[in-house]
Amino acid sequence: MKIQDVVVALERFAPLPLQEGFDNAGLQVGLTETEVSGALLCLDVTESVVEEAVSLGCNLIVSHHPLLFHPLRQIADKNDVQRMVRKAIRHDITILSMHTNMDNAKGGVNFKISEKMGLDNCQLFCEKQVGDIQGGSGVVGEFCEPLTAMHFVEHLKTVFEVKCVMANQLLERPIRRVAICGGAGSFLLPEAIAIGADAFVTGEMHYHEYFAHEQEIQIAVIGHYQSEQYTAELFQEIIREACPGLKTCITRINTNPIQYF
């Protein structure tokens, strides 16, 4: 089996045309016609993750966040990205990133978040059409039984293993319909309100965006890494179905650069 077979499977699930204009999803480093020895799956590529791939005998890394977000003017030793590129090339490791195309895909990152939350009747909102490919920036679903705002917050803390949830004033009505956008999803808050969601869950928002929504919608911000931490599980499911028998490993490294004290 070649690395290209894995690339095809992932891009069939989340076609590259679904990515946002600012993004750089797809092949980052390496060759795709090489035989694949195993795939290491992660949210972020770090030097430790590349070293982990070497130690596990995986010559493919599949990440959510792209390693190469900005063009490199040189490949030397001046920053971590340059070092990671050099290390990957030195060890014949190919790096593939599936970012906003996987966010926007049906069954993608936001569907995985909704699955973890236990939502039913999930569907895309803020939809987009690229040729004959349909996607959407967010997902909306429902709890089979509504939760109080406090129970909702506690549920998020348990599911995503977070110490705290940043929220606006607790809603005084039950929460049933929930809109989701993993990562930096504050741009979807107006859309979440427009579709009648009781709550909006995302990874990060700016201070002033919390204002003026008291008792209109429950905002719940759980952290960028935390909201997307199960993306590697999604990669594994896609690869196992399309490439049975291929060794897949979810990284054991917590790459979240934010520490909580």
Side-chain angles (χ1 to χ4, degrees), residues 191-216:
E191 296 283 348
I193 294 168
I195 63 173
D198 299 309
F200 177 61
V201 178
T202 189
E204 56 181 278
M205 283 180 57
H206 294 295
Y207 174 79
H208 292 285
E209 293 171 319
Y210 289 81
F211 281 101
H213 300 298
E214 295 82 5
Q215 300 309 313
E216 180 180 38

Side-chain angles (χ1 to χ4, degrees), residues 75-258:
I75 301 176
D77 196 29
K78 293 192 174 180
N79 58 48
D80 61 335
V81 175
Q82 292 183 18
R83 289 191 294 272
M84 283 184 277
V85 170
R86 290 180 64 242
K87 185 170 291 188
I89 293 172
R90 186 164 65 249
H91 292 283
D92 292 321
I93 292 175
T94 297
I95 300 175
L96 176 73
S97 298
M98 307 294 288
H99 192 209
T100 52
N101 55 319
M102 191 62 72
D103 290 331
N104 292 332
K106 187 173 183 180
V109 174
N110 293 316
F111 282 88
K112 175 56 71 174
I113 295 170
S114 68
E115 174 191 313
K116 292 293 183 178
M117 289 175 58
L119 299 179
D120 297 323
N121 305 319
C122 296
Q123 57 188 330
L124 293 166
F125 75 98
C126 196
E127 296 182 53
K128 59 169 62 183
Q129 189 87 19
V130 183
D132 60 350
I133 305 169
Q134 187 173 18
S137 299
V139 164
V140 61
E142 298 177 346
F143 288 114
C144 59
E145 295 291 338
L147 302 179
T148 66
M150 182 55 73
H151 285 158
F152 174 67
V153 169
E154 292 297 330
H155 179 60
L156 293 177
K157 289 171 67 175
T158 299
V159 169
F160 297 99
E161 299 180 357
V162 295
K163 296 180 180 179
C164 68
V165 172
M166 291 181 286
N168 61 344
Q169 184 185 82
L170 291 182
L171 209 61
E172 294 174 2
R173 67 174 189 270
I175 293 174
R176 180 186 290 272
R177 188 168 167 83
V178 182
I180 297 167
C181 184
S186 61
F187 68 98
L188 274 187
L189 178 60
E191 296 283 348
I193 294 168
I195 63 173
D198 299 309
F200 177 61
V201 178
T202 189
E204 56 181 278
M205 283 180 57
H206 294 295
Y207 174 79
H208 292 285
E209 293 171 319
Y210 289 81
F211 281 101
H213 300 298
E214 295 82 5
Q215 300 309 313
E216 180 180 38
I217 191 170
Q218 184 67 66
I219 296 170
V221 179
I222 60 176
H224 195 125
Y225 175 91
Q226 290 87 343
S227 70
E228 297 180 330
Q229 63 184 297
Y230 300 116
T231 303
E233 290 183 15
L234 176 60
F235 291 155
Q236 190 171 60
E237 291 164 7
I238 297 167
I239 295 170
R240 281 180 172 174
E241 181 174 348
C243 307
L246 175 64
K247 179 175 74 174
T248 58
C249 306
I250 293 176
T251 182
R252 296 188 176 187
I253 298 170
N254 183 330
T255 60
N256 188 1
I258 302 172

